[in-house]
CSV table of all heavy atoms in Angstrom, one decimal:
chain,number,residue,atom,x,y,z
A,250,MET,N,-28.5,-21.1,4.0
A,250,MET,CA,-29.2,-20.2,3.1
A,250,MET,C,-29.2,-18.8,3.7
A,250,MET,O,-29.7,-18.6,4.8
A,250,MET,CB,-30.6,-20.7,2.9
A,250,MET,CG,-30.7,-22.1,2.4
A,250,MET,SD,-29.8,-22.4,0.9
A,250,MET,CE,-30.7,-21.3,-0.3
A,251,VAL,N,-28.6,-17.9,2.9
A,251,VAL,CA,-28.6,-16.5,3.4
A,251,VAL,C,-29.3,-15.7,2.4
A,251,VAL,O,-28.9,-15.5,1.2
A,251,VAL,CB,-27.1,-16.0,3.5
A,251,VAL,CG1,-27.1,-14.5,3.9
A,251,VAL,CG2,-26.3,-16.8,4.4
A,252,ASP,N,-30.5,-15.2,2.7
A,252,ASP,CA,-31.3,-14.4,1.8
A,252,ASP,C,-31.4,-15.1,0.4
A,252,ASP,O,-31.0,-14.5,-0.6
A,252,ASP,CB,-30.7,-13.0,1.6
A,252,ASP,CG,-31.1,-12.2,2.8
A,252,ASP,OD1,-32.0,-12.6,3.5
A,252,ASP,OD2,-30.5,-11.1,2.9
A,253,ASN,N,-31.9,-16.3,0.3
A,253,ASN,CA,-32.1,-17.0,-0.9
A,253,ASN,C,-30.8,-17.4,-1.7
A,253,ASN,O,-30.9,-17.6,-2.9
A,253,ASN,CB,-33.0,-16.2,-1.9
A,253,ASN,CG,-34.4,-16.0,-1.3
A,253,ASN,OD1,-35.0,-16.9,-0.9
A,253,ASN,ND2,-34.8,-14.7,-1.3
A,254,LEU,N,-29.7,-17.4,-0.9
A,254,LEU,CA,-28.5,-17.8,-1.6
A,254,LEU,C,-27.8,-18.8,-0.7
A,254,LEU,O,-27.6,-18.6,0.5
A,254,LEU,CB,-27.6,-16.5,-1.8
A,254,LEU,CG,-26.2,-16.8,-2.4
A,254,LEU,CD1,-26.3,-17.4,-3.8
A,254,LEU,CD2,-25.3,-15.6,-2.3
A,255,ALA,N,-27.3,-19.9,-1.4
A,255,ALA,CA,-26.6,-20.9,-0.6
A,255,ALA,C,-25.2,-20.4,-0.4
A,255,ALA,O,-24.5,-19.9,-1.3
A,255,ALA,CB,-26.6,-22.2,-1.4
A,256,VAL,N,-24.7,-20.5,0.8
A,256,VAL,CA,-23.3,-20.1,1.1
A,256,VAL,C,-22.6,-21.2,1.8
A,256,VAL,O,-23.1,-21.8,2.8
A,256,VAL,CB,-23.3,-18.8,2.0
A,256,VAL,CG1,-21.9,-18.4,2.4
A,256,VAL,CG2,-24.1,-17.7,1.4
A,257,ILE,N,-21.4,-21.5,1.4
A,257,ILE,CA,-20.6,-22.6,2.0
A,257,ILE,C,-19.7,-22.1,3.1
A,257,ILE,O,-19.0,-21.1,3.0
A,257,ILE,CB,-19.7,-23.3,0.9
A,257,ILE,CG1,-20.6,-23.9,-0.2
A,257,ILE,CG2,-18.8,-24.3,1.5
A,257,ILE,CD1,-19.8,-24.5,-1.3
A,258,ASP,N,-19.8,-22.8,4.2
A,258,ASP,CA,-18.9,-22.5,5.3
A,258,ASP,C,-17.7,-23.5,5.2
A,258,ASP,O,-17.8,-24.7,5.3
A,258,ASP,CB,-19.6,-22.8,6.7
A,258,ASP,CG,-18.6,-22.5,7.8
A,258,ASP,OD1,-17.4,-22.3,7.6
A,258,ASP,OD2,-19.1,-22.6,9.0
A,259,TYR,N,-16.5,-22.9,4.8
A,259,TYR,CA,-15.3,-23.7,4.5
A,259,TYR,C,-14.7,-24.3,5.7
A,259,TYR,O,-13.8,-25.2,5.5
A,259,TYR,CB,-14.4,-22.9,3.6
A,259,TYR,CG,-14.9,-22.7,2.2
A,259,TYR,CD1,-15.5,-21.6,1.8
A,259,TYR,CD2,-14.8,-23.8,1.3
A,259,TYR,CE1,-16.0,-21.4,0.6
A,259,TYR,CE2,-15.3,-23.6,0.0
A,259,TYR,CZ,-15.9,-22.4,-0.3
A,259,TYR,OH,-16.4,-22.3,-1.6
A,260,GLU,N,-15.1,-23.9,6.9
A,260,GLU,CA,-14.6,-24.6,8.1
A,260,GLU,C,-15.2,-26.0,8.1
A,260,GLU,O,-14.6,-26.9,8.6
A,260,GLU,CB,-15.0,-23.8,9.3
A,260,GLU,CG,-14.4,-22.4,9.4
A,260,GLU,CD,-12.9,-22.5,9.8
A,260,GLU,OE1,-12.6,-23.2,10.8
A,260,GLU,OE2,-12.1,-21.9,9.1
A,261,LYS,N,-16.5,-26.1,7.6
A,261,LYS,CA,-17.2,-27.3,7.8
A,261,LYS,C,-17.1,-28.2,6.5
A,261,LYS,O,-17.2,-29.4,6.6
A,261,LYS,CB,-18.6,-27.1,8.1
A,261,LYS,CG,-18.8,-26.5,9.5
A,261,LYS,CD,-20.3,-26.2,9.7
A,261,LYS,CE,-20.6,-25.5,11.0
A,261,LYS,NZ,-21.9,-24.9,11.0
A,262,CYS,N,-17.0,-27.6,5.4
A,262,CYS,CA,-17.0,-28.3,4.1
A,262,CYS,C,-15.9,-29.3,4.0
A,262,CYS,O,-14.7,-29.0,4.3
A,262,CYS,CB,-16.9,-27.3,2.9
A,262,CYS,SG,-16.9,-28.1,1.3
A,263,ILE,N,-16.2,-30.5,3.6
A,263,ILE,CA,-15.2,-31.6,3.5
A,263,ILE,C,-15.0,-31.9,2.0
A,263,ILE,O,-14.2,-32.8,1.7
A,263,ILE,CB,-15.6,-32.9,4.2
A,263,ILE,CG1,-17.0,-33.3,3.7
A,263,ILE,CG2,-15.6,-32.7,5.7
A,263,ILE,CD1,-17.4,-34.7,4.2
A,264,GLY,N,-15.6,-31.2,1.1
A,264,GLY,CA,-15.4,-31.3,-0.3
A,264,GLY,C,-16.0,-32.6,-0.9
A,264,GLY,O,-15.5,-33.1,-1.9
A,265,CYS,N,-17.0,-33.1,-0.3
A,265,CYS,CA,-17.6,-34.4,-0.8
A,265,CYS,C,-18.4,-34.1,-2.2
A,265,CYS,O,-18.5,-35.1,-3.0
A,265,CYS,CB,-18.6,-34.9,0.2
A,265,CYS,SG,-20.0,-33.9,0.5
A,266,GLY,N,-18.9,-32.9,-2.4
A,266,GLY,CA,-19.5,-32.6,-3.7
A,266,GLY,C,-20.9,-33.1,-3.8
A,266,GLY,O,-21.5,-33.1,-4.9
A,267,ILE,N,-21.5,-33.6,-2.7
A,267,ILE,CA,-22.9,-34.0,-2.8
A,267,ILE,C,-23.8,-32.9,-3.2
A,267,ILE,O,-24.7,-33.1,-4.0
A,267,ILE,CB,-23.3,-34.6,-1.4
A,267,ILE,CG1,-22.6,-35.9,-1.2
A,267,ILE,CG2,-24.9,-34.8,-1.4
A,267,ILE,CD1,-22.9,-36.6,0.1
A,268,CYS,N,-23.5,-31.7,-2.7
A,268,CYS,CA,-24.3,-30.5,-3.1
A,268,CYS,C,-24.3,-30.3,-4.6
A,268,CYS,O,-25.3,-30.0,-5.2
A,268,CYS,CB,-23.8,-29.3,-2.3
A,268,CYS,SG,-22.1,-29.0,-2.4
A,269,ALA,N,-23.1,-30.5,-5.2
A,269,ALA,CA,-23.0,-30.3,-6.6
A,269,ALA,C,-23.8,-31.3,-7.4
A,269,ALA,O,-24.4,-31.0,-8.4
A,269,ALA,CB,-21.5,-30.3,-7.0
A,270,GLN,N,-23.8,-32.5,-6.9
A,270,GLN,CA,-24.7,-33.5,-7.5
A,270,GLN,C,-26.1,-33.2,-7.5
A,270,GLN,O,-26.9,-33.4,-8.4
A,270,GLN,CB,-24.5,-34.9,-6.8
A,270,GLN,CG,-23.0,-35.4,-6.8
A,270,GLN,CD,-22.7,-36.2,-8.0
A,270,GLN,OE1,-23.6,-36.5,-8.8
A,270,GLN,NE2,-21.5,-36.5,-8.2
A,271,LYS,N,-26.5,-32.6,-6.3
A,271,LYS,CA,-28.0,-32.4,-6.1
A,271,LYS,C,-28.5,-31.1,-6.7
A,271,LYS,O,-29.7,-31.0,-6.9
A,271,LYS,CB,-28.3,-32.4,-4.6
A,271,LYS,CG,-27.9,-33.7,-3.9
A,271,LYS,CD,-28.9,-34.8,-4.2
A,271,LYS,CE,-28.6,-36.1,-3.4
A,271,LYS,NZ,-29.4,-37.2,-3.8
A,272,CYS,N,-27.6,-30.2,-6.9
A,272,CYS,CA,-28.1,-28.9,-7.4
A,272,CYS,C,-28.9,-28.9,-8.6
A,272,CYS,O,-28.4,-29.4,-9.7
A,272,CYS,CB,-26.9,-27.9,-7.6
A,272,CYS,SG,-27.4,-26.3,-8.1
A,273,PRO,N,-30.2,-28.5,-8.6
A,273,PRO,CA,-31.0,-28.6,-9.7
A,273,PRO,C,-30.6,-27.6,-10.8
A,273,PRO,O,-31.0,-27.8,-12.0
A,273,PRO,CB,-32.4,-28.3,-9.2
A,273,PRO,CG,-32.1,-27.4,-8.0
A,273,PRO,CD,-30.9,-28.0,-7.4
A,274,ARG,N,-29.8,-26.6,-10.5
A,274,ARG,CA,-29.4,-25.6,-11.5
A,274,ARG,C,-28.0,-25.9,-12.0
A,274,ARG,O,-27.5,-25.2,-12.8
A,274,ARG,CB,-29.4,-24.2,-10.8
A,274,ARG,CG,-30.7,-23.8,-10.3
A,274,ARG,CD,-31.7,-23.3,-11.3
A,274,ARG,NE,-31.5,-21.9,-11.6
A,274,ARG,CZ,-32.0,-21.3,-12.7
A,274,ARG,NH1,-32.7,-22.0,-13.5
A,274,ARG,NH2,-31.8,-20.1,-12.9
A,275,LYS,N,-27.4,-27.0,-11.5
A,275,LYS,CA,-26.1,-27.4,-12.0
A,275,LYS,C,-25.1,-26.2,-11.8
A,275,LYS,O,-24.4,-25.9,-12.7
A,275,LYS,CB,-26.1,-27.9,-13.4
A,275,LYS,CG,-26.9,-29.1,-13.5
A,275,LYS,CD,-26.2,-30.0,-14.5
A,275,LYS,CE,-26.6,-31.5,-14.3
A,275,LYS,NZ,-25.8,-32.4,-15.1
A,276,LEU,N,-25.2,-25.6,-10.7
A,276,LEU,CA,-24.5,-24.3,-10.5
A,276,LEU,C,-23.2,-24.6,-9.7
A,276,LEU,O,-22.1,-24.1,-10.0
A,276,LEU,CB,-25.4,-23.4,-9.7
A,276,LEU,CG,-24.7,-22.1,-9.1
A,276,LEU,CD1,-24.3,-21.2,-10.2
A,276,LEU,CD2,-25.6,-21.4,-8.1
A,277,ILE,N,-23.3,-25.5,-8.7
A,277,ILE,CA,-22.2,-25.7,-7.8
A,277,ILE,C,-21.1,-26.5,-8.5
A,277,ILE,O,-21.4,-27.5,-9.2
A,277,ILE,CB,-22.7,-26.5,-6.5
A,277,ILE,CG1,-23.8,-25.7,-5.9
A,277,ILE,CG2,-21.5,-26.7,-5.6
A,277,ILE,CD1,-24.4,-26.4,-4.7
A,278,THR,N,-19.9,-26.0,-8.4
A,278,THR,CA,-18.7,-26.7,-9.0
A,278,THR,C,-17.8,-27.3,-8.0
A,278,THR,O,-17.7,-26.9,-6.9
A,278,THR,CB,-17.9,-25.7,-9.8
A,278,THR,OG1,-17.4,-24.7,-9.0
A,278,THR,CG2,-18.7,-25.0,-10.9
A,279,VAL,N,-17.2,-28.4,-8.4
A,279,VAL,CA,-16.2,-29.1,-7.6
A,279,VAL,C,-14.9,-29.0,-8.4
A,279,VAL,O,-14.8,-29.5,-9.6
A,279,VAL,CB,-16.5,-30.6,-7.4
A,279,VAL,CG1,-15.4,-31.2,-6.6
A,279,VAL,CG2,-17.8,-30.6,-6.6
A,280,ASP,N,-13.9,-28.4,-7.8
A,280,ASP,CA,-12.6,-28.1,-8.5
A,280,ASP,C,-12.8,-27.5,-9.9
A,280,ASP,O,-12.2,-27.9,-10.9
A,280,ASP,CB,-11.8,-29.4,-8.7
A,280,ASP,CG,-11.1,-29.8,-7.4
A,280,ASP,OD1,-11.0,-28.9,-6.5
A,280,ASP,OD2,-10.7,-31.0,-7.2
A,281,GLY,N,-13.7,-26.6,-9.9
A,281,GLY,CA,-14.0,-25.8,-11.2
A,281,GLY,C,-14.9,-26.5,-12.2
A,281,GLY,O,-15.1,-25.9,-13.2
A,282,LYS,N,-15.4,-27.7,-11.9
A,282,LYS,CA,-16.2,-28.4,-12.9
A,282,LYS,C,-17.6,-28.8,-12.3
A,282,LYS,O,-17.6,-29.1,-11.1
A,282,LYS,CB,-15.6,-29.6,-13.4
A,282,LYS,CG,-14.3,-29.4,-14.3
A,282,LYS,CD,-13.9,-30.7,-14.9
A,282,LYS,CE,-12.4,-30.6,-15.3
A,282,LYS,NZ,-11.5,-30.7,-14.1
A,283,VAL,N,-18.6,-28.8,-13.1
A,283,VAL,CA,-19.9,-29.3,-12.6
A,283,VAL,C,-19.8,-30.8,-12.8
A,283,VAL,O,-19.6,-31.3,-13.9
A,283,VAL,CB,-21.0,-28.7,-13.4
A,283,VAL,CG1,-22.3,-29.3,-12.9
A,283,VAL,CG2,-21.1,-27.2,-13.3
A,284,PRO,N,-20.0,-31.5,-11.7
A,284,PRO,CA,-19.9,-33.0,-11.8
A,284,PRO,C,-21.1,-33.6,-12.6
A,284,PRO,O,-22.2,-33.0,-12.6
A,284,PRO,CB,-19.9,-33.5,-10.4
A,284,PRO,CG,-20.6,-32.4,-9.6
A,284,PRO,CD,-20.3,-31.1,-10.3
A,285,GLU,N,-20.9,-34.7,-13.2
A,285,GLU,CA,-21.9,-35.4,-13.9
A,285,GLU,C,-22.9,-35.9,-12.9
A,285,GLU,O,-22.5,-36.5,-11.8
A,285,GLU,CB,-21.4,-36.6,-14.7
A,285,GLU,CG,-20.5,-36.2,-15.8
A,285,GLU,CD,-21.3,-35.8,-17.0
A,285,GLU,OE1,-22.1,-36.6,-17.5
A,285,GLU,OE2,-21.1,-34.6,-17.5
A,286,VAL,N,-24.2,-35.8,-13.1
A,286,VAL,CA,-25.1,-36.3,-12.2
A,286,VAL,C,-25.4,-37.8,-12.4
A,286,VAL,O,-25.7,-38.2,-13.5
A,286,VAL,CB,-26.5,-35.5,-12.3
A,286,VAL,CG1,-27.5,-36.1,-11.3
A,286,VAL,CG2,-26.2,-34.1,-12.1
A,287,LYS,N,-25.1,-38.6,-11.5
A,287,LYS,CA,-25.2,-40.1,-11.7
A,287,LYS,C,-26.5,-40.7,-11.3
A,287,LYS,O,-27.3,-41.1,-12.2
A,287,LYS,CB,-24.0,-40.8,-10.9
A,287,LYS,CG,-22.7,-40.7,-11.6
A,287,LYS,CD,-21.6,-41.1,-10.7
A,287,LYS,CE,-20.8,-39.9,-10.3
A,287,LYS,NZ,-20.1,-40.1,-9.0
A,288,PRO,N,-26.9,-40.7,-10.1
A,288,PRO,CA,-28.1,-41.5,-9.8
A,288,PRO,C,-29.4,-40.8,-10.0
A,288,PRO,O,-30.3,-41.4,-10.6
A,288,PRO,CB,-27.9,-41.8,-8.3
A,288,PRO,CG,-27.0,-40.7,-7.7
A,288,PRO,CD,-26.3,-40.1,-8.9
A,289,ALA,N,-29.5,-39.5,-9.7
A,289,ALA,CA,-30.8,-38.9,-9.6
A,289,ALA,C,-31.5,-38.8,-10.9
A,289,ALA,O,-32.7,-39.2,-11.0
A,289,ALA,CB,-30.6,-37.5,-9.0
A,290,ALA,N,-30.8,-38.3,-12.0
A,290,ALA,CA,-31.5,-38.1,-13.2
A,290,ALA,C,-30.7,-38.7,-14.4
A,290,ALA,O,-30.0,-38.1,-15.1
A,290,ALA,CB,-31.7,-36.6,-13.5
Side-chain angles (χ1 to χ4, degrees):
Chain A
M250 303 306 295
V251 180
D252 280 350
N253 298 312
L254 174 66
V256 177
I257 297 178
D258 179 353
Y259 287 97
E260 295 285 310
K261 293 179 184 164
C262 177
I263 54 169
C265 65
I267 290 176
C268 49
Q270 299 272 351
K271 299 283 182 188
C272 180
R274 302 282 274 168
K275 296 218 159 190
L276 168 70
I277 305 178
T278 61
V279 178
D280 282 344
K282 291 188 201 75
V283 177
E285 294 281 302
V286 178
K287 282 165 252 157

